[in-house]
Amino acid sequence: MTIEWRYTVDTGNDLGILSVTGHLGPAAVRRFEGAVGWAVVRGTGPLVLDLTDLRSWSTEGQLAIIAAAHRLADAGRSLELAAIPAEGSLVPPGDCPHIPVHSDLAAAFAAHSATHEKPGQARQWRTTGWPGRDTGDDRTGE
């Protein structure tokens, strides 16, 4: 079992949203790392990891998220989580960059709209297995 992902950049708010569906377990870690890499090179501001449709995550998946926080920090960006899976919370080690957790994606947007209110253009990239058909500037990732 693996994941599907969609990455959206809101250029007006300098915010990236990486939405993930499926199960973030050992079999999905490489694909998740690829999605994070995609986001790192295509954005400049904070990255919100939208876990609204993530069914579950394993210890390996949580470690991949912590590694993503380090990778983004090395690129001068931060990682935030929205709607973590119900079965637990992420407990990063002491040397991990701060990872804000929002109850849902709307709360994450609200946290950023207080400081950024410029109208922007959204660009999207997604895996070919992403559910539904998105509109806008879609590009297929991995």
Side-chain angles (χ1 to χ4, degrees):
M1 184 185 278
T2 190
I3 60 166
E4 299 296 334
W5 60 265
R6 177 183 64 200
Y7 177 60
T8 305
V9 176
D10 179 345
T11 58
N13 290 313
D14 195 27
L15 185 66
I17 301 96
L18 179 59
S19 301
V20 180
T21 67
H23 170 70
L24 184 51
V29 167
R30 286 193 64 200
R31 188 170 209 174
F32 176 74
E33 291 169 344
V36 171
W38 189 273
V40 167
V41 299
R42 285 170 178 76
T44 57
L47 176 65
V48 175
L49 183 56
D50 174 19
L51 303 174
T52 302
D53 294 320
L54 188 70
R55 288 191 300 274
S56 59
W57 56 8
S58 68
T59 300
E60 294 87 355
Q62 291 180 21
L63 292 173
I65 290 172
I66 291 167
H70 283 284
R71 186 174 183 184
L72 285 155
D74 290 347
R77 298 176 66 188
S78 62
L79 178 68
E80 301 179 20
L81 304 180
I84 62 173
E87 76 264 3
S89 62
L90 181 70
V91 182
D95 67 340
C96 186
H98 175 65
I99 303 174
V101 177
H102 305 281
S103 58
D104 56 25
L105 191 55
F109 279 125
H112 288 277
S113 67
T115 56
H116 300 90
E117 295 191 23
K118 300 180 283 185
Q121 177 181 354
R123 296 193 63 200
Q124 287 188 353
W125 298 265
R126 60 183 170 77
T127 54
T128 55
W130 184 259
R133 183 81 180 127
D134 296 312
T135 59
D137 186 8
D138 278 351
R139 302 277 166 40
T140 301
E142 57 176 57

